[in-house]
Amino acid sequence: MGTQGKLNDGSTSIWQKFGPLFALLLLFIVIAALNPSFLEPLNIMNLLRQTSINALIAFGMTFIILTGGIDLSVGSILALSSALMAGMMVSGMDPILAILVGVLLGTLMGVLNGLLITKGKMAPFIATLATMTIYRGLTLVYTEGKPVTGLGDSELFQMLGRGYFFGIPVPVVIMIIAFFVLWFLLHKMSFGRKTYAIGGNEKSSRISGIKVDRVKIMIYGIAGTMAALAGAILTSRLNSAQPTAGQAYEMDAIAAVVLGGTSLSGGKGRLFGTLIGVLIIGTLNNGLNLLGVSSFYQQVVKGVVIIVAVLLDRKKS
Amino acid sequence: MKIEMRDIYKAFGQNKVLEGVDFDLEPGEVHALMGENGAGKSTLMNILTGLHKQDKGTVKINGVETVFKNSLEAERSGLAFIRQELNIWPEMTVLENLFIGRELTNAFGVLKTKEMQKIASDIFKTLNISLPFDKEAGFCSVGEQQMIEIAKALMTDAEVIIMDEPTAALTDREIEKLFEIMKELTAKGVSLVYISHRMEEIFAICDRITVMRDGKTVDTTPIPETSFEEVVKKMVGRELEDRFPHREAKPGETVLEIKELSRKGVFNYVNMSVRRGEILGVAGLMGAGRTEIMRALFGVDQADSGEVFIEGKKVSIRQPIDAVKHGLAFITENRKDEGLILDFSVRENIGLPNLGSFAPNGIVKANEEKQFVEMMVKRLSVKTASPETIIGNLSGGNQQKVVIAKWIGTSPKVLIMDEPTRGIDVGAKREIYELMNELTERGLAIIMVSSELPEVLGMSDRILVIHEGKIAGELGRQEATQEKIMALATGGN
């Protein structure tokens, strides 16, 4: 009844809105105090570039988690589309065209996930667990387990991962553009409203005339696209496609989304939160490296940060 | 058990819910607790059963002042609270549900199934219930699930059982059964608190009635000394005109026609039609297939065969979006589960089926949406602090108005209302009836499925009675009576 309902008023609490941002600032201050070189522009640019790949994947993941789903296959999609792009380039295709085709193939891989989940009525976890190994397996088959190299020297392709745009690394520019495009899609367009609605209550959404299946398929398609785009950047950075690329990237993406305050049960969260979550993870990686913390300990710290963030998030309610 | 609650105060933050409530319960009585939604009934009972602690005031049990630390302690002391949302594990069997959390085990922790069955069958015998122990609770009817809860309460030797809207989802036969059980319980000295919005039932079964309004007790009276009108007056604090507004229908041409609609094992060869400006009442027992017919009509479930015509044209409805496009709207019986998105604001809920018009090219025109929502909120007099309030914080009646608002926005030709006033207080009910009249005056056709016979009789222009998946008969407004409807609904004639 009304009385109990009033207890949980203010469902977007201060923590939910700004908590991750405070955490990021705190992290910045602590690391900068311990090692002032952290704040040098070169390092910050480096940090952002390191972050951009996880950011792109996590943006797509945010949509999926908002509907109450999950996608474990994004790392494999990254690898497979990267291998296919590289393969097309090696066989002489125009690099830009190869990238476009490769990204489109990533979209299709995501759409296939969506079809399994909606039309095949499979749980997202199971469906994408299966496609995770399928896409990874196909990558290994296609590359015969070896890196694909000899991608030519197209300047535009080199730019993608290594270039600068007015002093800002191109991957960072792509991350920023992707953020604004997806932010608009999620918060200003009916597509975004439908995404939240499905996560909030799928039955009500369907009865309200939302084509739930179609929206979900599109969302998994977006996640696939973003993973493949990240794959393109990685391919350019490494000037090769690695068969083991992107392994466990889905975990970093999920961690970023959760750190950003999005609920794994769907319906609640914001894309801005994910951006902050990505930056927290990036800052931790970069900062701990700078402070000389062993990469073994870094993993422990990352896990602890996730637990603390979720506990704080829980406390609000 | 004798209970005296004196001068109880309780506030949640700024929100004062109880402001000096008195409540007494004698051994072996059925005590009705009535009041509009938000009057504080649930909070009072939550204090009695240890979920909340009062800010001020005393609770005496058998003359001893008592403060329970938590609900478990209250339960152990013999107070059971059967909530509106039943506490049932649908995937577990009846027996498992009965003993959940207090299974009997031997020294090694192995379940003593035989012994549990013995205890359960004894309880079922005293209650005169027959239910197979190995049936999954999810396959039991709501009535049967309630019986499980009552049996559970008795197994803990409850001396006080509080029932919150126990009959909201029961068929008339199940209600009769419940009343028999209640009588047996009181004969054993168990006291019952009966929270309900259904006046007829309260006057049929209760000994005394306490009316609450705005967090205060209005008074407590023996049932024989009061009347229906008096109770309503106390509840709303003013004279309420007749329960149903005057209705004058001028039905126009047929807008929706269903021919031979069937879904195997659920309903067969259903024919019905509804005209502009008409309210078609659909009555029948729970499980007769009324809701299922509406769900198939709206494309939520698939019909196996049959045809649907809208304004004379045959249409194909495979999923809800098709129904919406053809001018149908569906207010489901369960607004929390299927009608609303509880985390969404009032604005977002009303906007949902109307995104097509606010976002013709995908971009939501925030201003248009806001204006539309404000207009709707005003027109339906939804009581909400702002359109941005999360819908879960509104009372049941106001939530229902939002469900209606979101569908009116789509300018439907036919509005299907399944149990339009379930769980809503008297004042809000009347407002919804008035709204239905206003909508039909503008030419909307309404199909109203309802289990409340007075509502069916008071609002319908024509009544269809469903029995076991078939239309058992049709009654005009003038000829319809409760007896005739019940005869058709139970398969008589």
Side-chain angles (χ1 to χ4, degrees):
Chain A
M1 297 223 162
T3 47
Q4 278 117 331
K6 275 164 196 152
L7 276 176
N8 19 359
D9 239 356
S11 54
T12 45
S13 66
I14 299 288
W15 165 259
Q16 225 180 2
K17 256 187 176 156
F18 301 112
L21 194 60
F22 287 146
L24 179 62
L25 287 176
L26 190 70
L27 210 55
F28 251 75
I29 293 166
V30 170
I31 295 171
L34 294 172
N35 187 341
S37 68
F38 172 76
L39 286 178
E40 276 168 27
L42 198 68
N43 186 52
I44 296 296
M45 283 304 157
N46 202 10
L47 186 162
L48 289 174
R49 189 170 53 203
Q50 289 162 344
T51 301
S52 59
I53 286 178
N54 186 22
L56 292 176
I57 298 174
F59 292 163
M61 188 72 81
T62 306
F63 281 76
I64 291 179
I65 291 182
L66 277 174
T67 65
I70 197 95
D71 188 347
L72 301 178
S73 71
V74 280
S76 298
I77 292 180
L78 180 152
L80 182 53
S81 51
S82 158
L84 292 169
M85 281 174 211
M88 286 184 278
M89 286 184 221
V90 170
S91 67
M93 191 189 268
D94 176 72
I96 298 305
L97 188 62
I99 285 170
L100 286 177
V101 174
V103 170
L104 203 66
L105 287 169
T107 311
L108 287 179
M109 293 176 224
V111 166
L112 180 63
N113 283 336
L115 285 169
L116 289 172
I117 289 159
T118 55
K119 305 298 176 193
K121 300 195 192 313
M122 293 174 76
F125 188 94
I126 303 299
T128 59
L129 182 68
T131 57
M132 173 176 88
T133 76
I134 292 172
Y135 296 151
R136 178 67 62 187
L138 289 174
T139 313
L140 293 167
V141 170
Y142 182 75
T143 60
E144 296 176 332
K146 294 190 286 269
V148 184
T149 53
L151 307 187
D153 46 11
S154 154
E155 206 172 307
L156 268 171
F157 171 63
Q158 309 277 358
M159 280 281 288
L160 190 59
R162 282 169 279 173
Y164 288 85
F165 186 79
F166 291 110
I168 302 169
V170 172
V172 178
V173 175
I174 293 175
M175 170 178 90
I176 293 168
I177 294 172
F179 174 78
F180 281 112
V181 170
L182 293 178
W183 180 87
F184 192 79
L185 182 63
L186 186 59
H187 296 301
K188 293 289 165 194
M189 298 190 68
S190 55
F191 184 82
R193 188 78 65 82
K194 290 172 188 169
T195 304
Y196 281 103
I198 292 170
N201 186 337
E202 197 167 320
K203 268 199 251 170
S204 289
S205 302
R206 202 163 104 81
I207 289 174
S208 299
I210 292 175
K211 292 172 187 158
V212 172
D213 285 359
R214 208 170 77 172
V215 174
K216 278 191 177 177
I217 292 168
M218 287 170 75
I219 284 174
Y220 283 88
I222 290 172
T225 311
M226 298 312 288
L229 191 58
I233 292 171
L234 194 64
T235 314
S236 165
R237 269 198 75 68
L238 303 173
N239 204 18
S240 67
Q242 302 290 332
T244 56
Q247 241 160 10
Y249 279 21
E250 62 279 350
M251 291 306 158
D252 267 350
I254 294 168
V257 175
V258 172
L259 278 177
T262 296
S263 149
L264 271 182
S265 51
K268 277 180 183 166
R270 303 190 67 78
L271 198 63
F272 182 70
T274 299
L275 180 66
I276 301 297
V278 167
L279 289 173
I280 289 175
I281 291 182
T283 306
L284 271 177
N285 285 339
N286 178 291
L288 293 176
N289 267 334
L290 221 57
L291 298 177
V293 177
S294 104
S295 68
F296 300 161
Y297 278 111
Q298 288 187 24
Q299 304 224 14
V300 178
V301 173
K302 243 198 285 184
V304 171
V305 167
I306 292 171
I307 290 174
V308 171
V310 172
L311 286 179
L312 282 174
D313 200 31
R314 181 93 26 90
K315 240 189 167 165
K316 70 167 168 52
S317 53
Chain B
M1 194 182 275
K2 186 176 162 63
I3 290 171
E4 297 159 85
M5 299 180 84
R6 283 285 166 273
D7 209 22
I8 305 287
Y9 281 77
K10 178 74 189 173
F12 296 108
Q14 293 295 311
N15 184 18
K16 289 178 193 149
V17 180
L18 299 180
E19 296 180 90
V21 175
D22 294 330
F23 182 77
D24 292 285
L25 191 63
E26 297 291 333
E29 78 164 335
V30 184
H31 195 136
L33 187 55
M34 260 197 125
E36 293 193 287
N37 291 337
K41 295 164 296 185
S42 299
T43 308
L44 185 69
M45 289 302 115
N46 282 334
I47 288 174
L48 180 58
T49 54
L51 185 69
H52 298 322
K53 223 157 269 156
Q54 68 269 31
D55 301 334
K56 234 173 85 183
T58 55
V59 180
K60 279 188 186 166
I61 292 181
N62 293 332
V64 184
E65 195 171 335
T66 313
V67 180
F68 293 121
K69 279 200 211 77
N70 50 42
S71 334
L72 196 67
E73 211 179 271
E75 197 183 302
R76 290 207 180 113
S77 311
L79 289 118
F81 192 171
I82 301 177
R83 287 163 198 281
Q84 211 172 344
E85 287 85 20
L86 295 175
N87 216 353
I88 289 285
W89 278 257
E91 281 87 18
M92 301 179 91
T93 65
V94 170
L95 189 71
E96 285 166 340
N97 266 286
L98 284 171
F99 284 91
I100 204 142
R102 35 169 193 268
E103 293 85 355
L104 302 178
T105 55
N106 66 15
F108 301 103
V110 180
L111 293 170
K112 295 198 271 191
T113 312
K114 283 253 165 62
E115 210 165 301
M116 289 195 278
Q117 278 172 346
K118 167 102 186 32
I119 295 173
S121 66
D122 285 350
I123 294 272
F124 275 18
K125 221 173 275 164
T126 52
L127 291 177
N128 197 12
I129 306 173
S130 56
L131 251 184
F133 289 141
D134 54 0
K135 191 176 179 181
E136 272 183 39
F139 290 114
C140 295
S141 72
V142 182
E144 289 169 339
Q145 293 180 0
Q146 209 147 39
M147 303 300 161
I148 298 175
E149 287 259 48
I150 293 173
K152 248 166 83 178
L154 283 184
M155 279 167 38
T156 59
D157 295 320
E159 290 176 60
V160 173
I161 301 180
I162 300 155
M163 301 182 185
D164 192 356
E165 292 278 353
T167 57
L170 297 193
T171 64
D172 285 5
R173 237 180 253 167
E174 285 172 325
I175 292 174
E176 249 170 64
K177 172 99 195 149
L178 177 71
F179 284 2
E180 277 169 32
I181 291 174
M182 286 169 65
K183 278 178 195 144
E184 280 179 43
L185 290 172
T186 49
K188 288 189 176 70
V190 176
S191 322
L192 301 171
V193 179
Y194 192 84
I195 304 176
S196 176
H197 288 307
R198 295 196 179 176
M199 211 68 86
E200 290 88 350
E201 291 173 3
I202 284 176
F203 279 79
I205 190 81
C206 298
D207 302 311
R208 286 198 297 166
I209 177 167
T210 294
V211 178
M212 289 179 68
R213 187 174 75 231
D214 301 331
K216 294 184 185 108
T217 325
V218 180
D219 68 356
T220 301
T221 351
I223 285 286
E225 290 170 24
T226 184
S227 69
F228 192 107
E229 289 73 25
E230 200 183 15
V231 170
V232 173
K233 203 171 128 188
K234 284 179 196 162
M235 265 169 59
V236 295
R238 62 188 150 93
E239 295 270 5
L240 198 71
E241 314 96 279
D242 293 337
R243 205 144 54 112
F244 301 100
H246 175 69
R247 173 160 177 76
E248 210 167 301
K250 295 180 275 304
E253 69 276 21
T254 300
V255 50
L256 170 78
E257 194 168 8
I258 301 170
K259 283 186 183 164
E260 307 281 295
L261 199 68
S262 292
R263 182 175 158 85
K264 222 176 153 191
V266 187
F267 55 85
N268 301 303
Y269 307 110
V270 170
N271 290 297
M272 66 169 75
S273 66
V274 58
R275 293 153 56 166
R276 282 171 61 88
E278 183 184 43
I279 297 181
L280 173 68
V282 179
L285 300 179
M286 186 85 40
R290 296 167 305 171
T291 297
E292 289 76 6
I293 294 169
M294 299 307 146
R295 290 174 71 89
L297 169 60
F298 201 71
V300 183
D301 303 326
Q302 293 295 311
D304 298 325
S305 63
E307 296 175 323
V308 176
F309 296 85
I310 288 172
E311 291 177 334
K313 264 182 281 176
K314 193 180 161 187
V315 297
S316 150
I317 295 174
R318 296 234 161 90
Q319 44 179 341
I321 180 77
D322 302 332
V324 176
K325 279 186 183 148
H326 287 119
L328 301 187
F330 188 18
I331 295 169
T332 54
E333 59 178 335
N334 190 337
R335 63 179 160 267
K336 286 190 178 157
D337 220 27
E338 298 183 324
L340 294 169
I341 293 170
L342 291 175
D343 291 334
F344 267 25
S345 65
V346 171
R347 171 179 59 80
E348 288 167 319
N349 269 294
I350 294 180
L352 205 55
N354 301 299
L355 282 175
S357 54
F358 301 131
N361 45 23
I363 300 168
V364 179
K365 293 180 181 158
N367 265 334
E368 274 181 37
E369 185 189 28
K370 205 173 138 224
Q371 279 169 10
F372 174 80
V373 169
E374 275 168 4
M375 193 256 291
M376 275 302 182
V377 166
K378 204 178 281 172
R379 189 172 148 204
L380 273 69
S381 46
V382 180
K383 278 176 213 118
T384 173
S386 113
E388 299 306 319
T389 307
I390 301 299
I391 192 91
N393 295 332
L394 265 53
S395 72
N398 282 304
Q399 287 182 1
Q400 187 72 346
K401 285 187 199 164
V402 170
V403 183
I404 297 175
K406 80 179 215 187
W407 283 117
I408 295 177
T410 65
S411 322
K413 297 178 186 126
V414 181
L415 179 62
I416 306 164
M417 304 177 101
D418 196 353
E419 305 289 356
T421 63
R422 173 178 288 176
I424 291 176
D425 61 63
V426 186
K429 267 186 184 174
R430 164 105 193 181
E431 286 182 72
I432 286 176
Y433 296 142
E434 275 164 4
L435 192 69
M436 288 167 73
N437 274 347
E438 188 198 318
L439 291 170
T440 49
E441 261 161 40
R442 293 169 180 224
L444 186 76
I446 293 180
I447 303 176
M448 177 185 72
V449 176
S450 175
S451 299
E452 284 191 48
L453 286 182
E455 178 171 283
V456 172
L457 290 165
M459 290 305 296
S460 313
D461 301 319
R462 199 153 55 85
I463 298 164
L464 284 183
V465 185
I466 313 283
H467 172 63
E468 292 185 348
K470 290 193 185 107
I471 293 186
E474 182 180 322
L475 298 165
R477 185 180 175 86
Q478 304 306 328
E479 53 173 330
T481 61
Q482 297 220 11
E483 291 72 27
K484 280 186 190 164
I485 293 177
M486 277 325 290
L488 287 168
T490 50
N493 39 38

